[in-house]
Amino acid sequence: MLKEIYIRNLAVIREAVIPLTNDLNIFTGETGAGKSILINGINAVLGQRCTKDIVRSGCDKAVITALFTDLSPDITEKLDELGISHENNEITVTREISADGGSVSRVNHRTASASLLKEIGCMLINIHGQHDNQVLLDSDRHLDILDDFGGDNTLLDAYNKTFRELQKTARKLRELKRQEQFRIERARYLNEIINDIGELELEENEDEVLEQEYDTARNSEKTIIALKGAVQAIIGEDGANEVIVSAEQEIAGFTDGIPALNSLYERLSAAEIELSDIASELEKLSEKIELDGQRLEYLGERLGNINKLKRKYAQDCNGLIRFYNDACTEIMQLDSSRGEIEKLSVKKEELLRSVTDQAKSLYDYREKTAEKFTAQVTAELEFLNMAGVVIKVRHEKGKLTANGMDSVEFLISANKGEEPKPISKIASGGELSRIMLALKSVIAEKDSIPTMIFDEIDTGVSGKAAQKIGVKLREIGRVRQVICVTHLSQIAVMADNHLMIEKKIIDDRTETNVTQLDMDGRISEIARIMGGENPSQLMIENARAEIEKAAKLQ
């Protein structure tokens, strides 16, 4: 419970100590007196974002301290988890906002982050303002409201546990399948390497050795061709020898008479013999050079295959050998996940069946909860002067999500005989406020948040409806601490603790004071709300009568 709020230098509030009781606390005051500042201060200690503009002009910082007492077991458990002491079952939460824009938070004088304040604050106080009515307009939030009303999360918790396990299993299965696909593709690539390179059975530096042998063999072939060509040039048809023999024959009959010609003839005969001898030597030499055509063909083919793989894998011969050996090693180390995939696939199917069964049970539970919800909210709406309103829960099955298979949306019919339609298309601002109050009322006994704050929940209502809202707030105040900011007398008269927010001019500066009212103060304030400033004696008597009448309603 929020026992006390201390505020210093917060906007127009110079300093205020605000005592609160554990039932219905009502704040009233003129428009612009600073009621919203109070809510801003509470939001600050709850860890909400605030700016330096909230600091009172001329001051170095604003300070808001909230004292919480009679802590619930849920809150003390959270505090223990966070390592925060709670002697005498109470804590103090402080927020300091500097004029330069900085902010410091403390819990029991221990520095804390804004996120920690939020974590604690959401368990201590639930603030409902006009903007919270947007929850009713958002059908995605209706399932949460229905579950809050149901109050028993046993089925939902069990479903969530199984659903998370299903998600975890599905993610692991997807990952293993991805890894298995990678393994298959990698194995295919490695096998290609092994088949390509292993087929050649390479030896280190083999390409260099083969290239030398191939060059030698290819040069031998050229040499033999050249030698045989030379032999043919000497002794072949129309070769050199035939030319010489022809020359000998031409001059043979004239050598006796001409001594010089005889000498030339002899030289031709010697040249014939020499050329024949050269041709014979060339023939012998060509026969001595070995030429294996099949070997040359083999060398050319093998070198071609090696060079093809060198280009394909961008490796030299020794690199291909290493590539092959590495591929052989890696493929032996590639573990298949097929067995694990099969096991996880079976587990996934089992979990899917289980989570589907749990979702159906959860659906049935919510169907029954929706019936009770409709009945109780309808009763609350009738009490709040909305007897003609029909509320219905449209509950349908959809795909499995983290919250089950349920699709929930609240429908209302504002007039008898009209088909219920989504709240967002039907309800006015005043109706939204009363519908939300009805929801808060039926849920109040089931949630564990000790303090509920209503900021101008009376917007758009008046008369008897306002009176009913006041009665309903008081009812909630019997099971929860309620803090309400209002401008209606019908609600203010229901207060167990009435505080007035008043703006004054002191030393040429505006200040807002918060005063806890006694009976006389309450009568004066109610009279002001009813009749304006300087109320008549009759209005004062009416105010007294309304307060006394409200007291009897208890």
Side-chain angles (χ1 to χ4, degrees), residues 413-473:
S413 171
N415 300 294
K416 187 175 181 179
E418 291 186 2
E419 189 70 19
K421 296 180 180 179
I423 289 178
S424 60
K425 297 181 179 179
I426 299 295
S428 64
E431 287 171 331
L432 285 175
S433 293
R434 281 181 283 174
I435 294 171
M436 178 57 77
L437 180 57
L439 297 180
K440 295 280 186 178
S441 179
V442 299
I443 294 172
E445 295 185 10
K446 298 181 180 182
D447 69 32
S448 60
I449 301 176
T451 300
M452 301 176 71
I453 297 179
F454 294 91
D455 182 14
E456 297 191 8
I457 195 172
D458 52 14
T459 299
V461 296
S462 59
K464 188 176 180 180
Q467 183 185 44
K468 294 294 185 68
I469 289 176
V471 173
K472 186 54 59 180
L473 288 172

Side-chain angles (χ1 to χ4, degrees), residues 60-183:
D60 58 350
K61 65 181 178 180
V63 179
I64 308 100
T65 298
L67 170 63
F68 295 92
T69 62
D70 301 323
L71 304 176
S72 70
D74 288 345
I75 296 171
T76 55
E77 183 179 348
K78 172 58 70 174
L79 294 174
D80 290 337
E81 179 185 321
L82 296 171
I84 298 173
S85 63
H86 42 87
E87 294 182 10
N88 301 320
N89 206 28
E90 63 183 38
I91 60 171
T92 58
V93 180
T94 301
R95 185 82 178 270
E96 296 181 2
I97 303 100
S98 300
D100 61 6
S103 173
V104 176
S105 305
R106 293 186 180 87
V107 178
N108 289 345
H109 308 292
R110 192 189 92 178
T111 302
S113 64
S115 61
L116 187 144
L117 293 192
K118 287 182 181 179
E119 192 171 358
I120 299 172
C122 69
M123 300 181 69
L124 292 168
I125 295 178
N126 181 300
I127 296 183
H128 171 73
Q130 287 187 28
H131 66 280
D132 292 303
N133 289 335
Q134 300 304 311
V135 171
L136 287 175
L137 303 179
D138 183 1
S139 59
D140 292 338
R141 302 289 298 277
H142 293 178
L143 181 59
D144 294 335
I145 295 174
L146 186 65
D147 283 342
D148 288 342
F149 170 79
D152 184 358
N153 290 328
T154 304
L155 290 174
L156 179 59
D157 291 343
Y159 172 84
N160 286 154
K161 182 178 179 181
T162 307
F163 187 79
R164 287 193 296 270
E165 183 66 20
L166 174 62
Q167 287 182 311
K168 179 181 176 182
T169 301
R171 284 195 297 269
K172 187 173 182 181
L173 184 59
R174 285 196 300 271
E175 178 61 20
L176 284 178
K177 286 183 176 180
R178 187 191 66 79
Q179 292 176 1
E180 180 67 8
Q181 184 60 36
F182 170 79
R183 189 200 69 79

Side-chain angles (χ1 to χ4, degrees), residues 377-443:
V377 174
T378 298
E380 294 293 337
L381 291 174
E382 288 178 358
F383 178 81
L384 292 170
N385 212 35
M386 297 179 72
V389 172
V390 175
I391 187 164
K392 179 181 178 182
V393 178
R394 181 161 62 193
H395 186 205
E396 299 173 343
K397 291 181 180 179
K399 65 179 182 179
L400 293 174
T401 68
N403 293 315
M405 60 167 59
D406 306 77
S407 172
V408 168
E409 184 175 14
F410 299 154
L411 309 177
I412 68 168
S413 171
N415 300 294
K416 187 175 181 179
E418 291 186 2
E419 189 70 19
K421 296 180 180 179
I423 289 178
S424 60
K425 297 181 179 179
I426 299 295
S428 64
E431 287 171 331
L432 285 175
S433 293
R434 281 181 283 174
I435 294 171
M436 178 57 77
L437 180 57
L439 297 180
K440 295 280 186 178
S441 179
V442 299
I443 294 172

